[in-house]
Amino acid sequence: MCYLFENFKGWKDYCLDKNISLEESVIEYECEEKGANKEEILAGLLKAYSVMKDAVKTGLEKDMKSNSGMIDNGAKKVFNHPLTVLSPEFQKLISRALAAKEVNSCMGRVVAAPTAGASGILPGTMVTLQEIHSLSDEQIVKGLLVGAGIALIIEQRASLAGAVGGCQAETGSAAAMASGAIVYCLGGSIDQVFTAVAVTIQCMLGLVCDPVAGLVEVPCVVRNASAASIAFSSAQIALANVNAVIPVDECVEAMGEIGASMESKYKETAMGGLAATLTGQEISKRVLIQDIEILPDEELPE
Ligand code: SF4
């Protein structure tokens, strides 16, 4: 019987008891759940990573303008801007996270890791990590496996869906997956991986889901970029053995508690936050009119 990903403490104990790595325990779980073998699981993840890399490339090369007009090639603008605010690597990280998410907003192919709304975070962080540290795709896949284990626990104890737990559950969980994956890929210990997750959750707690016009565009796209940077800052903190103080399982509990007490207007209903601003409402009306105009006559409501 494999480990069922109920909490982080149990995951660590299981790996130590069986003397296996975090990544191996996820493979074990996946094999049992899917009735597949290790090679098939790894091949599937390599394919998923190649879709992530393609999304980054597409977002940086192709025209990325959404039907609503709210998304208009932001990733390319960031990538090509002559003024670098921090470092070229940081500029690339931000533009890559934006790029993959813009592909999603423009109806392109992405990996929902863990959701489509957060689909720029793992591509942005992993492609940048790979480039900076000259890692192979196989090494990145090991990080993705650990990220999957992290998501399985958050799903059990809190949520991965904006409609259930707010944006902390979507972009927050993706950032936690990415942060744990970064630490794991760089040789961090189990405790360091879990500290990265704890610190990331602490940074993302309370974030509401308030998509303008109900479209997964604003603020979703820019939140993928900020979540990608938080993943790296948390990984840096964790690798230095800074104490997260609140253990990772309790951070996840807090995320669940905050999500449960969040009003429904902050859970993907587009009735609160940025969606409810004057401009947000004007955009919502415009998008609705646009949608009605493109409906063929026979599909118009009576
Ligand atoms: S604001 Fe809502 S829809 Fe947008 S990424 Fe966050 S959870 Fe997803």
Side-chain angles (χ1 to χ4, degrees), residues 248-288:
V248 62
D249 280 313
E250 293 177 43
C251 293
V252 177
E253 292 291 325
M255 185 195 258
E257 184 260 319
I258 292 168
S261 60
M262 211 177 256
E263 286 185 49
S264 62
K265 65 180 179 175
Y266 300 127
K267 292 182 182 177
E268 221 173 292
T269 53
M271 293 173 79
L274 295 171
T277 58
L278 203 59
T279 304
Q281 287 178 325
E282 278 169 11
I283 293 170
S284 183
K285 269 186 227 143
R286 176 169 58 73
V287 167
L288 190 69

Side-chain angles (χ1 to χ4, degrees), residues 47-52 55 109-116 118-120 122-123:
K47 198 168 166 199
Y49 185 50
S50 112
V51 173
M52 288 185 189
R109 195 159 82 122
V110 293
V111 180
T115 62
S119 57
L122 276 160

Side-chain angles (χ1 to χ4, degrees), residues 138-299:
E138 286 72 17
Q139 285 170 298
I140 294 293
V141 159
K142 291 179 181 187
L144 292 178
L145 280 162
V146 171
I150 293 164
L152 283 166
I153 295 172
I154 297 177
E155 188 179 30
Q156 287 266 336
R157 315 298 295 191
S159 172
L160 298 174
V164 178
C167 199
Q168 57 167 4
E170 279 199 22
T171 56
S173 299
M177 293 165 71
S179 189
I182 293 166
V183 171
Y184 191 76
C185 286
L186 297 181
S189 65
I190 295 181
D191 284 339
Q192 287 172 329
V193 170
F194 291 2
T195 297
V197 175
V199 173
T200 304
I201 292 176
Q202 290 177 16
C203 296
M204 304 290 294
L205 278 184
L207 196 57
V208 299
C209 171
D210 51 354
V212 171
L215 300 169
V216 190
E217 299 183 9
V218 173
C220 319
V221 172
V222 292
R223 279 186 190 162
N224 274 251
S226 58
S229 7
I230 286 176
F232 270 100
S233 67
S234 303
Q236 189 78 71
I237 289 167
L239 281 167
N241 293 319
V242 175
N243 187 353
V245 180
I246 308 297
V248 62
D249 280 313
E250 293 177 43
C251 293
V252 177
E253 292 291 325
M255 185 195 258
E257 184 260 319
I258 292 168
S261 60
M262 211 177 256
E263 286 185 49
S264 62
K265 65 180 179 175
Y266 300 127
K267 292 182 182 177
E268 221 173 292
T269 53
M271 293 173 79
L274 295 171
T277 58
L278 203 59
T279 304
Q281 287 178 325
E282 278 169 11
I283 293 170
S284 183
K285 269 186 227 143
R286 176 169 58 73
V287 167
L288 190 69
I289 291 166
Q290 215 176 44
D291 282 353
I292 291 172
E293 278 171 354
I294 57 173
L295 269 180
D297 284 351
E298 63 272 18
E299 286 183 34

